[in-house]
Amino acid sequence: MHTVSYTSSDNALLDKPLTISEINQLLKAFIRERFCNICLVGEISSFRPSANGHWYFTLKDEKSQISAVMFRGVNALCPFTPCDGDLVEVTGNLDVYEVRGTYQIIIQSMKHAGLGAILAQLQKKKEYYQSLGWFDPEAKPAIPTYPKNIGVVTASTGAALRDILDTTRRRAPSVDITVYPVLVQGDEASAMIASAIRQANELSISDVLIVGRGGGSVEDLLPFSSDEVVKAVHESAIPVISAVGHEIDTSLCDYAASRIAITPTDGAMIATDGYYTLRMNLQKQEKELNEMMKMRIYRFSASLPSAAYMQSLMQNRIASVHLPSSASMNRMLQAKADSALLRLSYAADRAKENAYDKAASEKERAKRLEQDILSSMMKRTAELSSYLREHALRLSLTVEAAYLKKKTRLDVSAISSMIREIKLKYAKGKEKIRSCADTDILAVSAKYKESYSRLKAACAQNEALSPAAVLKRGYAIVEKEDSTIVRQSQDVSDGERVTIILEKDRLKAKIEGEKEQ
């Protein structure tokens, strides 16, 4: 078996029989030379990745198909993993597999096909919505500075939600987050995203909405450019932050939203910018305040005298102060104690005199009250006696007149009735006098009790302030032989005898030695 090299001038090879290997080699050389770096568009079918990392699949259109392979080192650079039904645009070289006599394309690069048509359609939609004024900044609600609740419209299991939650908790932990889970790609994604935006507006819980997802291809981001989503964002009374894809990705939702975020993390930063700025300002002010306080403390401490100087100053002041001797302090204290004892004695005398005066006054008042009551009782008794005598005289005159007029026998029952009436009035008058007397006696008794209580309190106060009570507390009274009280050292002379009065005893003493001032 030998290798055959085909050239345009070498037609002699076709004049003799060829082996299968020879013809396959000729075809391989021919195809490699003329079909290198070609671009094909087709739909992927029968995609089957191998255990060693190579991708094997079929590219087809409406009428034909071709086998394709993308080796492991090359497919690692592909931005997506293809699947059956994907319309792709590939670049590669045609090659012949000699063992089977089949040809295939060895792919060097792959991308989604139809991108140009999609971009043209998006540009047309953008111009249409722009003509309606949906992208005008004046028609969009403003992002609140300090939102209390942030709504997030995204996939519940995606990395975008995790980034938004982490960023919000780090920058504004007090803000609540409400998640509206949706699909972010596929045929049903557009309707779910638009429905979630409308639901957030109906609930009116969130102050701002973050609508978005992580990065992806243009086809993956198409739901965020659909008519349903753009209309829902435009009609939303809640301001919307569009955080679709990465920095290089765009969607029509970005133009309809109040703010555009380059990533979901950036969307959370925009929503919490007010809190973060406030925190940074507080930290800055706290730092400035600490620095200012440190500077003031330093200046104040620099203006204070040193500890050694203060110690020396205090020692000099202490040395300059003249402290009295213990004997002089004793004399001073004794003089103060004598003065206090004298004031107590005077106060006790005054209290005793006041108590006696009050008692005498109360006694005199009670005596006057008693005399007034007796006089009143005598007066009322005299009035009752006069009243009875007058009625008795009237009865006598009545009986006599009746006797003289009729000269008949008197009606004993009428006279008895008049006598009973007089006795009844006499009894009522006597009971009234007794009742008044009892009331007056009770009043006098109450006055006596009140006077007795006051007298008892005055005696107790007098007892507490009396010299005897003072002596019980350990004090003593010094008397001269003429019974005068010694109040200061000048009142006695050397050799003079005095009496020291204690609580229960008396001591005789003689003054000796010099007088201490």
Side-chain angles (χ1 to χ4, degrees), residues 233-292:
V233 172
H234 169 68
E235 295 177 349
S236 175
I238 302 174
V240 177
I241 299 174
S242 179
V244 181
H246 296 305
E247 185 174 0
I248 60 174
D249 299 325
T250 58
S251 66
L252 297 183
C253 178
D254 294 342
Y255 302 103
S258 297
R259 286 286 298 275
I260 303 175
I262 58 177
T263 61
T265 300
D266 183 57
M269 294 176 66
I270 293 173
T272 59
D273 186 62
Y275 290 104
Y276 182 76
T277 303
L278 180 61
R279 178 182 291 182
M280 292 298 102
N281 291 337
L282 289 176
Q283 292 179 356
K284 180 180 178 182
Q285 292 177 5
E286 181 181 6
K287 183 178 180 181
E288 292 176 353
L289 182 61
N290 290 335
E291 294 295 331
M292 183 175 64

Side-chain angles (χ1 to χ4, degrees), residues 58 86 275 316 331 344 381 388 505 511:
T58 300
D86 284 352
Y275 290 104
N316 292 336
R331 289 196 305 272
L344 287 174
T381 303
L388 292 175
D505 301 320
I511 304 299

Side-chain angles (χ1 to χ4, degrees), residues 3-62:
T3 303
V4 178
S5 178
Y6 174 81
T7 61
S8 59
S9 61
D10 195 1
N11 294 323
L13 291 176
L14 301 178
D15 295 335
K16 62 178 182 177
L18 298 175
T19 64
I20 303 301
S21 299
E22 287 175 341
I23 192 62
N24 284 341
Q25 288 180 3
L26 288 172
L27 291 174
K28 182 175 183 177
F30 179 80
I31 290 174
R32 277 189 170 184
E33 181 180 354
R34 288 167 174 79
F35 296 96
C36 62
N37 199 26
I38 63 174
C39 182
L40 297 179
V41 176
E43 180 182 334
I44 292 179
S45 176
S46 303
F47 180 77
R48 56 188 188 282
S50 65
N52 55 12
H54 305 319
W55 291 349
Y56 297 97
F57 53 91
T58 300
L59 286 176
K60 65 179 182 178
D61 57 13
E62 292 83 357

Side-chain angles (χ1 to χ4, degrees), residues 366-429:
K367 186 176 181 181
R368 288 198 303 269
L369 181 60
E370 181 180 6
Q371 291 177 355
D372 292 341
I373 292 172
L374 292 176
S375 176
S376 176
M377 290 175 63
M378 292 176 64
K379 182 179 179 181
R380 292 178 182 176
T381 303
E383 290 177 354
L384 181 59
S385 299
S386 177
Y387 175 79
L388 292 175
R389 286 195 300 271
E390 182 180 353
H391 276 74
L393 179 59
R394 288 181 182 178
L395 177 60
S396 177
L397 293 176
T398 301
V399 172
E400 184 178 357
Y403 177 75
L404 294 177
K405 183 176 181 180
K406 295 183 178 180
K407 293 183 180 182
T408 60
R409 189 174 179 178
L410 294 175
D411 189 354
V412 178
S413 61
I415 296 174
S416 299
S417 176
M418 294 179 66
I419 293 173
R420 283 197 301 272
E421 181 181 357
I422 292 171
K423 287 182 178 181
L424 180 60
K425 291 184 179 181
Y426 175 76
K428 288 183 179 180

